[in-house]
Amino acid sequence: QRRAPRAEVGAASWCDCTADRNNASRRQDSVVVLGASGGVGRGIVAELLAAGHAVVAVGRSKERLATLMRHAAAHRGLTLLCGSVATDAAGAALAQGLRELPGRPVAVVASVCGPSNSGRLLARPGSFLQRSLEEDVVSHFIAAKHLLPMLAEAQPEGLYLIVSGPAADCPWSGYGHRSIAAAALRMLTLVLREEAKELPASVQQLQIGRPVRTEDNADRPEWLGADEVGRRCTDRSVDLSANRRASRGGCTSADHRRRASRQRADAQR
């Protein structure tokens, strides 16, 4: 049996796509976050950890994942996994790596997108729009194609949550390619939901209505904070856990109180 390289840093652990099969019996529910090393992904990971979830943070860059590890060193339950959904081969390898990890994914949060380059779309070559669609839409398709079956195997009633940006309904000035991709991603979510009806997993989309403020653009106070996006993703995961307990007859009054409190807060926003 081949063991994966694993280095402990603080309370986090590092794995590559070949997991330690000897630890497979140590089952722990976890939330998989794709794009975890990006600005929005870091906010999602931080809020999930703060809420007590175990998190498998997936990113393409080991250097950026190492930075995420240092920021989250105070939290337990963080596993870093270097992987990609840029191609079918990479998506299949990621799904296999997740299957071999010593944990059970109960949700996947996909926060995947390309860089936010601005400019008039008509001034760009066709390859620019093609690359944007590959990064913002096709990558989500590849991720869902390989990870939805993995999620369904690991956890009946699991949540597959696609995080998408603003401007799916109207053009975003200077970012027309992102508007096109957001509209296409919305339709992709509907298609995935329809085609995955027979799988025991729920496909949902969290569409962010405003640009997101991250560490890279902290001078935009009017934008939505990445931590707020993370809280909304966490709320979806908490609701999923409560629904599973309710289906088993184990939903508590505390669950109902937390849900009611979140609904009141949402109504006030």
Side-chain angles (χ1 to χ4, degrees), residues 228-267:
E228 176 60 25
V229 177
R231 281 191 288 272
R232 295 184 185 183
C233 292
T234 302
D235 284 350
R236 298 285 184 98
S237 299
V238 169
D239 285 341
L240 173 73
S241 298
N243 289 340
R244 282 202 304 270
R245 287 195 296 273
S247 67
R248 296 193 297 263
C251 190
T252 66
S253 59
D255 293 326
H256 293 299
R257 286 196 299 271
R258 283 193 293 268
R259 190 179 306 173
S261 177
R262 287 195 304 273
Q263 289 172 345
R264 286 195 298 271
D266 288 341

Side-chain angles (χ1 to χ4, degrees), residues 67 83 105 110 120 133 138 146 158 165 187 222 232 235 238 248 250:
T67 299
R120 293 181 71 248
L133 291 173
V138 177
H146 294 285
M187 182 53 67
E222 72 278 12
R232 295 184 185 183
D235 284 350
V238 169
R248 296 193 297 263

Side-chain angles (χ1 to χ4, degrees), residues 94-116:
L94 175 60
Q96 184 60 31
L98 289 168
R99 285 186 176 96
E100 296 176 353
L101 284 177
R104 179 179 61 183
V106 298
V108 174
V109 179
S111 176
V112 181
C113 67
S116 296

Side-chain angles (χ1 to χ4, degrees), residues 20-114:
D20 185 353
R21 296 178 178 86
N22 291 335
N23 292 325
S25 60
R26 298 187 307 181
R27 308 295 287 173
Q28 183 181 20
D29 290 356
S30 62
V31 179
V32 178
V33 179
L34 304 182
S37 60
V40 177
R42 289 195 298 270
I44 295 171
V45 170
E47 291 298 322
L48 286 168
L49 289 172
H53 292 277
V55 176
V56 179
V58 179
R60 291 179 295 180
S61 167
K62 286 191 175 182
E63 291 75 16
R64 298 188 71 174
L65 283 174
T67 299
L68 174 63
M69 183 189 295
R70 289 192 293 271
H71 287 173
H75 292 283
R76 294 192 175 277
L78 175 63
T79 299
L80 306 176
L81 184 63
C82 193
S84 170
V85 289
T87 65
D88 269 308
L94 175 60
Q96 184 60 31
L98 289 168
R99 285 186 176 96
E100 296 176 353
L101 284 177
R104 179 179 61 183
V106 298
V108 174
V109 179
S111 176
V112 181
C113 67

Side-chain angles (χ1 to χ4, degrees), residues 161-181:
L161 181 62
I162 296 173
V163 180
S164 66
D169 296 316
C170 58
W172 181 8
S173 179
Y175 295 90
H177 59 294
R178 303 303 294 269
S179 297
I180 295 169

Side-chain angles (χ1 to χ4, degrees), residues 118-126 128-129 132 174-178 180:
S118 62
R120 293 181 71 248
L121 188 58
L122 286 175
R124 301 278 191 171
F128 173 80
L129 180 58
S132 178
Y175 295 90
H177 59 294
R178 303 303 294 269
I180 295 169

